[in-house]
Amino acid sequence: MSKKWSIAAIILYVVYAIGMYFYIFHGASGGVPATLKGTVADPETFMTERELLLSDDFSKIRNFLFFIITPFEWLVYFLILFTGLSRAFEKWVDTKWKLIKNGAYLFLLYLFTTIIFYPIDYYRYTLSKDYGISTQEFSSWMRDFVIDFWVNFGTTLLVVLVLYWLIQKSAKKWWFYAWLLTIPFAIFMMYIQPVVIDPLYNEFYPLKDKELEEKILSLADQANIPSEHVFEVDMSEKTNALNAYVTGIGDNSRIVLWDTTLNSLTDEEILFIMAHEMGHYVEKHIYIGIASYLVSILVGLWLIARIMPWIISRFGNVLKIEKISDIRSLPLFFVLVSFLLFLSNPLSNYISRVQETRADEYAMELTGNAEAAVSTFQNLAKAGLSEVNPPFLVKIFRYTHPPMLERINTIARYSDLNENESETETETEKEKQTKPKD
């Protein structure tokens, strides 16, 4: 029976992968609407012919990888269950100490899946190198890979040990208690991220350009944002892409600029990016994000608490799982989490795109520099070989930011609105001046 299920799962995945291949490479095409041809939003006006070709190829490969890697992860976990490998992991670490048993099981599972996915991770690294996005040497990439392994394993270990302890203590309400613990854990991780985790990968230091720092802090003061320092991070040895962000909460919050951004953009363009990030702060997007995250976790855990026992009761023999509290049920838990996250992508990405659009509008309100805004987006697209107008499925499942075509149009609309307002004000003034006095 398990063999038949394994074969069926593999066939289903292959059919899905073939379908996505034809959709990405031969079916869907975002393109540029005829009404926008030749405008500042048209990539042909700011990209070379070679950049256009590279962008098209690179985007299609990345989109295809996105749509097949996550289902491949589900397939791997199901095969681990179908073949009895999960039960074998549990037997290899058989001990009376539950915490040690569960921790050792997780290590074996995590190590095995890391090895399975390593060729994919390496291919993505070489792909980025081949297309000129990554500049990272293999030794540096492997160092980050190893750090990723231990950081992710450490956080996952803590979550899994607590989760299965709760399941054993309360079979019916474990999901709610787990959610309650998620709140302080998420806040704690956000607090330590800038000062503990991020420095493991890159070197952060105060912005060297003090004149630019003063401009950024002045902009922050205009937006009533408390900030004393701006940090830059050495990313040029790893990538040619551009980025800037605000991270952390409380005393550990900081504004961060990649050195690639500093080296590639003008001060006006950098100030627009900073104004965009400040827009997130002013609009309370970080708190909205935390609230949305906590609600989604609550709903997700509630669904898993109902779906997982049902699957085990119906297909436990095939999956070789007797009860949810067995640590060998962990692959099934991972599949359900990944599946629910994948299904929620369109909604979460939509909310994110709305917030990003609002941040763009705020940046225009704060800086009033449409020319710098447009050139910033054009440079970002060029540096990352971005697809300015992706196909529908790609947009709703992948894009947390509006495509560049939409972002540039937002700036264009805002500029037109300002021009119209200025014209109206001018006409009103003229009317006042020509109006006969009583």
Side-chain angles (χ1 to χ4, degrees):
M1 178 65 74
S2 296
K3 185 178 180 181
K4 291 182 179 179
W5 279 82
S6 298
I7 294 173
I10 293 172
I11 292 174
L12 181 63
Y13 174 76
V14 170
V15 171
Y16 165 81
I18 292 173
M20 288 310 307
Y21 173 82
F22 280 100
Y23 174 78
I24 297 295
F25 288 95
H26 300 288
S29 178
V32 177
T35 54
L36 295 178
K37 286 285 188 180
T39 67
V40 291
D42 185 355
E44 291 187 2
T45 64
F46 60 87
M47 282 187 175
T48 65
E49 186 175 346
R50 182 174 183 276
E51 287 172 336
L52 288 170
L53 290 173
L54 291 176
S55 173
D56 185 59
D57 291 343
F58 187 54
S59 297
K60 286 180 178 179
I61 295 172
R62 285 199 306 172
N63 293 338
F64 179 66
L65 288 175
F66 170 83
F67 280 104
I68 67 168
I69 286 177
T70 300
F72 180 69
E73 178 186 346
W74 307 339
L75 176 65
V76 169
Y77 281 128
F78 273 127
L79 291 179
I80 289 173
L81 291 168
F82 292 151
T83 60
L85 188 57
S86 182
R87 184 166 60 183
F89 286 160
E90 186 182 31
K91 288 183 177 179
W92 291 345
V93 295
D94 193 20
T95 175
K96 294 180 180 180
W97 299 92
K98 276 285 186 180
L99 289 178
I100 296 177
K101 178 180 179 179
N102 291 351
Y105 171 91
L106 176 63
F107 179 76
L108 290 175
L109 178 65
Y110 202 83
L111 180 63
F112 178 79
T113 53
T114 298
I115 293 171
I116 292 294
F117 280 92
Y118 178 82
I120 296 175
D121 293 328
Y122 178 72
Y123 172 72
R124 295 168 79 169
Y125 160 69
T126 57
L127 179 70
S128 186
K129 287 271 288 187
D130 292 342
Y131 280 85
I133 305 298
S134 174
T135 60
Q136 191 172 20
E137 296 298 326
F138 176 75
S139 58
S140 174
W141 178 79
M142 272 303 303
R143 177 182 175 275
D144 287 351
F145 185 85
V146 172
I147 292 174
D148 265 342
F149 176 88
W150 288 111
V151 169
N152 292 333
F153 172 74
T155 53
T156 305
L157 175 65
L158 180 61
V159 170
V160 168
L161 292 182
V162 172
L163 182 69
Y164 275 80
W165 178 77
L166 290 173
I167 292 175
Q168 290 177 338
K169 292 296 182 180
S170 178
K172 292 184 177 180
K173 293 188 176 181
W174 64 266
W175 60 274
F176 183 70
Y177 299 136
W179 177 75
L180 289 178
L181 291 176
T182 296
I183 300 173
F185 180 74
I187 295 174
F188 173 72
M189 291 301 295
M190 291 180 66
Y191 185 77
I192 68 169
Q193 180 82 29
V195 294
V196 176
I197 298 177
D198 289 347
L200 294 174
Y201 297 90
N202 302 292
E203 182 181 357
F204 291 78
Y205 39 85
L207 185 61
K208 296 175 184 177
D209 188 340
K210 296 305 176 183
E211 185 177 344
L212 176 60
E213 181 182 45
E214 187 62 32
K215 292 179 182 178
I216 293 173
L217 294 179
S218 175
L219 201 65
D221 186 59
Q222 292 179 45
N224 296 317
I225 297 175
S227 183
E228 296 181 0
H229 298 291
V230 181
F231 289 82
E232 64 177 283
V233 54
D234 184 9
M235 291 295 296
S236 55
E237 293 184 357
K238 294 184 177 182
T239 182
N240 285 318
L242 312 179
N243 196 19
Y245 58 91
V246 177
T247 184
I249 57 174
D251 297 338
N252 284 351
S253 62
R254 55 176 58 176
I255 299 171
V256 179
L257 281 160
W258 286 11
D259 64 336
T260 52
T261 303
L262 293 167
N263 297 334
S264 302
L265 301 183
T266 66
D267 284 5
E268 288 73 20
E269 291 168 340
I270 292 172
L271 288 175
F272 176 80
I273 291 177
M274 288 292 93
H276 170 94
E277 298 302 332
M278 292 171 191
H280 287 305
Y281 179 92
V282 172
E283 296 289 328
K284 312 296 183 186
H285 290 164
I286 185 171
Y287 301 108
I288 295 173
I290 292 174
S292 300
Y293 170 77
L294 293 176
V295 170
S296 64
I297 291 294
L298 177 63
V299 173
L301 288 172
W302 179 80
L303 287 171
I304 291 173
R306 278 146 183 76
I307 297 172
M308 200 167 168
W310 179 83
I311 292 177
I312 292 174
S313 66
R314 290 288 304 272
F315 308 104
N317 290 334
V318 178
L319 299 173
K320 298 175 176 57
I321 305 173
E322 295 176 4
K323 51 187 177 179
I324 189 175
S325 60
D326 292 337
I327 189 61
R328 63 174 176 265
S329 69
L330 186 58
L332 178 60
F333 179 83
F334 283 161
V335 167
L336 292 176
V337 170
S338 178
F339 182 71
L340 291 175
L341 285 174
F342 187 78
L343 288 184
S344 68
N345 272 345
L347 177 59
S348 61
N349 287 348
Y350 172 78
I351 294 173
S352 177
R353 289 195 300 272
V354 170
Q355 292 179 340
E356 295 297 335
T357 298
R358 179 56 198 138
D360 285 344
E361 292 171 347
Y362 178 85
M364 279 300 302
E365 293 170 5
L366 191 59
T367 65
N369 194 337
E371 184 178 344
V374 170
S375 61
T376 296
F377 292 143
Q378 290 177 340
N379 284 322
L380 288 172
K382 285 165 63 73
L385 294 179
S386 301
E387 193 173 18
V388 297
N389 192 30
F392 176 72
L393 287 182
V394 174
K395 176 183 174 181
I396 66 171
F397 276 96
R398 287 205 64 198
Y399 276 58
T400 57
H401 290 59
M404 287 304 177
L405 193 73
E406 294 181 15
R407 301 187 78 175
I408 294 176
N409 279 339
T410 296
I411 301 303
R413 288 198 304 271
Y414 183 89
S415 300
D416 290 342
L417 178 63
N418 273 0
E419 289 176 4
N420 292 334
E421 289 178 350
S422 298
E423 290 173 2
T424 302
E425 290 175 0
T426 303
E427 290 173 0
T428 302
E429 289 298 323
K430 287 181 178 179
E431 289 176 0
K432 288 180 180 179
Q433 293 174 8
T434 57
K435 184 178 179 180
K437 295 181 180 180
D438 294 334

